[in-house]
Amino acid sequence: MPSFPTLDDKTRPLEIQVVDLIPALRAFARTFGGSRFEADDLLQETLFRALRGIDGFEPGTNLKSWLFTIMHNAFRTQYKLRKREAPGTINCADLPIAIPAPQDWCVLNGELRTALDRLAPDHREVLVLVAGYGLSYKEAADICDCAVGTIKSRLSRARDELALRMNGVPLD
């Protein structure tokens, strides 16, 4: 059987390895909230910045963490711009459908998404990085530009809050 290259294959060009990480980047972009279009815009901006600065990537370091850091920084920049502009209108196409799906898994997925969306952005981000993507505390701390202890406490608070929200305890 032919052997297919893996992400650990250091002989492949970095650009190809970046392309292989697009599904993970797209999923991470969607955790920041907003519409799918905003997530795709964030992904595109991340890829643009990454490929423009690919020479700045240090071989031997974690490419996924590097890309997540770029996305995190791009989101922060876009967030500051949006907050400053504050359009104040809601696009009705982005609103959820009023009729819930009958399948249990779909309902549970919707409840989880709602509970995640209500978490503080810092807590949601850490929860997705560590629990969702399996990054280490150190990698998450590097991406969020904070101490490992801060990541641990944010993750603990995020897990507790998410458990309460999933059990129907109103926190707002």
Side-chain angles (χ1 to χ4, degrees):
M1 282 184 75
S3 81
F4 294 100
T6 65
L7 285 176
D8 297 330
D9 187 357
K10 304 298 183 209
T11 61
R12 294 178 4 171
L14 275 176
E15 291 84 357
I16 300 299
Q17 293 179 42
V18 168
V19 169
D20 290 341
L21 290 170
I22 287 176
L25 288 168
R26 178 173 282 121
F28 185 51
R30 289 188 178 163
T31 65
F32 287 108
S35 69
R36 269 189 265 165
F37 302 112
E38 289 173 348
D40 287 343
D41 287 346
L42 179 58
L43 173 64
Q44 182 177 355
E45 178 66 20
T46 301
L47 292 172
F48 173 74
R49 289 182 182 192
L51 294 175
R52 183 181 62 198
I54 198 88
D55 295 335
F57 177 73
E58 296 179 30
T61 59
N62 189 325
L63 180 62
K64 190 175 191 180
S65 292
W66 184 70
L67 291 169
F68 279 13
T69 300
I70 291 172
M71 182 173 285
H72 174 263
N73 292 338
F75 172 76
R76 293 287 183 200
T77 301
Q78 288 178 1
Y79 178 78
K80 287 177 186 175
L81 288 173
R82 266 187 269 138
K83 191 172 182 179
R84 200 174 324 138
E85 293 171 2
T89 59
I90 297 174
N91 183 356
C92 63
D94 290 338
L95 294 175
I97 297 173
I99 302 170
Q103 298 90 352
D104 288 343
W105 62 268
C106 191
V107 172
L108 183 58
N109 184 34
E111 290 172 358
L112 176 61
R113 182 69 177 173
T114 300
L116 279 172
D117 286 343
R118 289 187 177 164
L119 292 176
D122 291 341
H123 292 171
R124 179 176 51 240
E125 181 179 30
V126 170
L127 188 66
V128 169
L129 288 172
V130 176
Y133 289 109
L135 296 181
S136 69
Y137 294 137
K138 173 75 172 106
E139 290 171 327
D142 290 343
I143 290 170
C144 295
D145 194 29
C146 63
V148 172
T150 303
I151 293 295
K152 289 179 180 180
S153 63
R154 284 180 187 171
L155 181 62
S156 176
R157 287 192 298 268
R159 285 177 173 161
D160 291 345
E161 184 179 344
L162 185 63
L164 287 171
R165 288 186 185 282
M166 290 301 293
N167 288 322
V169 177
L171 299 175
D172 297 328

